[in-house]
């Protein structure tokens, strides 16, 4: 029997008594490298027992203790163990309410520890004082690369202390400060630190209270910082100023590759500056603009930038105000763009006059006929209907690169289902089709079954919630006897009776396809 290297006991209510037994075994065990004890009502006695084990254990590298109650003597014991333990590299103590006192205790351990690479302390009520203590440790620690401080009430003073630490620290790569209380003063300090820091590549600042001054400070930092590649700024207080800042940033030599500006109140009148920045930017790969107010004036301008941009791979425009006219503009861009692989247009004004309906879907379908780079297209919740599905099917018959298509909640009926089925008979690229919450019924399901008998690429098909009954289920089950590529078929929330269930059960037992019904 192979030696046990990973033990996951998460959410088992084992408590202190159970942990003490495990800890005794750890003292002599020489194979276990990963132990997950998250969500187990472990308190200080259990923490002390684990600390004793860490003093002698020579193999455990990953210890996960999230959502327990270790915060006093237990935390002190674990911190002392970290000072001498020569092997642990990953320690998750999130959701233990350790407070600022616990953060101070851990900071003392970090000053001595020379192996820990990742420390996750999210949701621990650390606050400014705790952040200041950890910052002091970062100034001397030379191994930690990832520090998770998400959802702690850290304000500007804590952020400023962390910023000072970043000026001296030369190992930290990822700093997660999501969902704290950081405002412009804290952001200014962090941005200033980036001007000299040469190692940090990912900074999470989403869900704080950063405003325009903070954003501009980051743009200024990008003039000299060539290392920060990923910056999360969604859900802040920037409001109507982001595009202007990005416009200024286009003059810099930023290495930024991932920018998250979701839910940042970006409107059409800001898109011009943003588009100009994209036109000349040579590093940005992923741009998240979901949950903004980009619509009839902004989307066409953004589309023009896409025609010349040569780096962007992922563009997220979900839940904006994009309708037919805007979809047509984006489709024109897809005919010229040579890099974009993922376009997210889900949830754009469902049921309104400017929802992506016939003309928008037709334009996107035409783009698919010539575009040879796009691999993922998400149109979830856009009411394209049967005609839109028919248009897309014509594009799929010719397209040879799209692998994933999301069409759930699009008011597609049997005719649309039949059209897409025809496309699947000749398409040789699509591997994933999400189609749930439409109304293709038995007729659509039977058409899909016919396509599955000849299709040799589709691996995942989701037709849950599509009013499919016994006839449709039986047809799909018959197709699976000959299909050799479909791995997962989702059929939940359909009115399938006993006969359909029996047919599906039999084929699921005899083939490798996983059926969810």
């Amino acid at each position: 029997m192979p030696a046990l290297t990973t033990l996951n006991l998460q959410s088992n209510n084992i408590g202190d008594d159970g942990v003490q037994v495990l800890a005794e075994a750890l003292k002599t065990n020489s194979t276990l490298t990963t132990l997950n004890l998250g969500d187990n009502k472990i308190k200080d006695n259990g923490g002390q027992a684990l600390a004793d084990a860490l003093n002698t254990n020579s193999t455990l590298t990953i210890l996960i203790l999230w959502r327990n109650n270790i915060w006093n003597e237990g935390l002190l014991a674990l911190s002392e163990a970290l000072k001498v333990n020569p092997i642990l590299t990953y320690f998750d103590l999130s959701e233990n309410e350790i407070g600022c006192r616990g953060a101070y205790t851990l900071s003392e351990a970090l000053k001595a520890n020379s192996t820990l690479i990742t420390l996750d302390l999210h949701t621990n009520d650390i606050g400014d004082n705790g952040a200041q203590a950890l910052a002091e440790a970062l100034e001397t620690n030379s191994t930690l690369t990832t520090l998770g401080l998400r959802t702690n009430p850290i304000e500007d003073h804590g952020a400023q202390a962390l910023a000072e630490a970043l000026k001296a620290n030369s190992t930290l790569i990822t700093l997660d400060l999501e969902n704290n209380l950081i405002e412009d003063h804290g952001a200014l300090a962090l941005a200033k630190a980036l001007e000299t820091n040469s190692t940090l590549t990912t900074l999470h600042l989403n869900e704080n209270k950063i405003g325009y001054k903070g954003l501009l400070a980051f743009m200024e930092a990008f003039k000299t910082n060539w290392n920060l590649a990923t910056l999360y700024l969604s859900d802040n207080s920037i409001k109507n100023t982001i595009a202007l800042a990005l416009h200024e940033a286009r003059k810099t030599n930023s290495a930024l590759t991932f920018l998250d500006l979701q839910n940042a109140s970006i409107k059409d009148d800001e898109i011009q500056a943003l588009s100009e920045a994209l036109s000349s930017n040579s590093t940005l790969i992923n741009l998240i603009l979901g949950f903004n107010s980009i619509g009839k004036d902004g989307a066409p301008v953004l589309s023009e930038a896409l025609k010349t941009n040569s780096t962007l791979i992922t563009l997220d425009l979900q839940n904006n105000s994009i309708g037919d006219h805007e979809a047509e503009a984006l489709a024109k861009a897809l005919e010229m763009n040579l890099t974009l692989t993922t376009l997210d247009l889900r949830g754009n004004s469902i049921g309104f006059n400017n929802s992506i309906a016939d003309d928008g879907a037709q334009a996107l379908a035409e783009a698919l006929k010539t575009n040879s780079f796009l691999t993922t297209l998400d149109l979830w919740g856009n009411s394209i209907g049967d005609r839109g599905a028919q248009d897309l099917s014509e594009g799929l018959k010719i397209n040879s690169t799209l692998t994933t298509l999301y069409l759930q909640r699009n008011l597609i009926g049997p005719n649309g289902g039949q059209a897409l089925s025809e496309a699947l008979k000749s398409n040789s690229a699509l591997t994933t089709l999400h189609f749930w919450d439409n109304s293709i019924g038995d007729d659509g399901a039977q058409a899909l079954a016919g396509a599955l008998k000849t299709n040799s690429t589709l691996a995942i098909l989701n037709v849950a919630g599509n009013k499919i009954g016994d006839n449709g289920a039986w047809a799909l089950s018959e197709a699976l006897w000959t299909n050799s590529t479909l791995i997962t078929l989702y059929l939940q929330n359909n009115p399938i009776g006993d006969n359909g269930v029996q047919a599906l059960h039999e084929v699921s037992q005899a083939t490798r396809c996983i059926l969810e019904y």
Side-chain angles (χ1 to χ4, degrees), residues 7 9 22 26 32-37 50 60 62-64:
L7 181 59
L9 294 173
L22 282 170
L26 281 177
L32 199 69
T33 60
T34 301
L35 178 59
N36 186 347
L37 294 172
L50 286 169
L60 197 69
I62 299 174
L63 179 57
I64 301 171

Side-chain angles (χ1 to χ4, degrees), residues 190-197 215-228 231 244-256 281 283:
L190 288 166
K192 190 67 177 176
L194 290 179
E195 293 178 9
T196 54
N197 179 280
L215 177 63
L216 278 184
F218 281 113
M219 298 305 114
E220 184 67 23
F222 291 152
K223 292 179 180 179
T224 55
N225 183 290
W226 284 76
N227 303 290
L228 194 71
L231 177 60
L244 178 60
L246 289 174
H247 178 64
E248 291 300 314
R250 71 190 178 121
K251 304 170 185 176
T252 73
N253 296 316
S254 170
L256 197 66
N281 181 278
T283 59

Side-chain angles (χ1 to χ4, degrees), residues 202-269:
T202 302
L203 179 58
H204 296 257
L205 286 170
N206 32 328
E207 296 186 60
N208 278 281
K209 297 182 177 182
I210 299 169
Y212 179 47
K213 292 180 180 178
L215 177 63
L216 278 184
F218 281 113
M219 298 305 114
E220 184 67 23
F222 291 152
K223 292 179 180 179
T224 55
N225 183 290
W226 284 76
N227 303 290
L228 194 71
T230 303
L231 177 60
Y232 294 87
L233 281 172
S234 62
D235 293 284
N236 272 284
S237 303
I238 298 165
K239 306 294 182 187
N240 304 329
T241 55
I242 291 176
L244 178 60
L246 289 174
H247 178 64
E248 291 300 314
R250 71 190 178 121
K251 304 170 185 176
T252 73
N253 296 316
S254 170
L256 197 66
T257 61
F258 185 106
L259 184 57
D260 181 359
L261 295 174
Q262 179 172 294
N263 194 23
S265 299
I266 298 177
K267 297 181 180 178
D268 282 348
D269 57 3

Side-chain angles (χ1 to χ4, degrees), residues 233-397:
L233 281 172
S234 62
D235 293 284
N236 272 284
S237 303
I238 298 165
K239 306 294 182 187
N240 304 329
T241 55
I242 291 176
L244 178 60
L246 289 174
H247 178 64
E248 291 300 314
R250 71 190 178 121
K251 304 170 185 176
T252 73
N253 296 316
S254 170
L256 197 66
T257 61
F258 185 106
L259 184 57
D260 181 359
L261 295 174
Q262 179 172 294
N263 194 23
S265 299
I266 298 177
K267 297 181 180 178
D268 282 348
D269 57 3
E270 289 195 290
I271 293 301
Q272 182 65 50
L274 174 58
S275 298
E276 289 179 9
L278 277 179
S279 296
S280 57
N281 181 278
S282 60
T283 59
L284 198 64
I285 295 173
N286 301 291
L287 179 58
I288 312 300
L289 292 172
F291 294 89
N292 282 290
S293 301
I294 302 169
K296 63 188 180 83
D297 295 323
V301 174
L302 188 60
S303 300
E304 286 301 312
L306 286 177
K307 291 178 181 179
T308 55
N309 179 277
S310 60
T311 58
L312 205 64
I313 293 175
T314 299
L315 177 59
D316 183 347
L317 290 170
Q318 65 170 298
N319 289 281
N320 276 280
S321 300
I322 295 170
D324 271 359
H325 175 66
E326 298 75 45
E328 288 180 56
L330 289 166
K332 289 295 182 183
L334 288 178
E335 293 177 4
M336 299 177 63
N337 182 278
L338 302 178
T339 57
L340 200 69
T341 62
T342 300
L343 178 59
D344 190 342
L345 293 173
R346 63 185 136 152
N348 272 285
S349 303
I350 300 172
F352 290 90
N353 292 330
N354 65 338
S355 64
I356 296 179
D358 302 336
D359 295 338
Q362 184 179 29
L364 289 168
E366 287 300 313
L368 288 178
K369 292 178 182 179
T370 56
N371 180 283
S372 58
F373 296 92
L374 198 70
T375 60
T376 300
L377 177 60
D378 193 341
L379 293 172
W380 175 2
N382 271 284
S383 306
I384 67 171
D386 281 346
R387 182 180 163 188
Q390 290 165 345
D391 289 331
L392 285 173
S393 70
E394 293 303 312
L396 289 175
K397 289 176 183 178

Side-chain angles (χ1 to χ4, degrees), residues 403 429-433 452 455-462 483 485-490 512-514:
T403 60
L430 204 67
T431 61
T432 302
L433 177 58
L452 288 176
N455 181 280
S456 60
T457 54
L458 199 67
I460 298 173
L461 175 60
N462 189 339
N483 180 283
T485 55
L486 199 69
I487 297 173
T488 306
L489 174 60
Y490 296 93
R512 68 168 187 160
C513 185
I514 299 171

Side-chain angles (χ1 to χ4, degrees), residues 51 55 75-85 105 108-109:
N55 286 329
L75 180 58
L76 180 61
L78 285 167
S79 298
E80 289 299 315
L82 285 177
K83 292 179 180 179
V84 296
N85 181 282
T105 301
E108 292 301 304

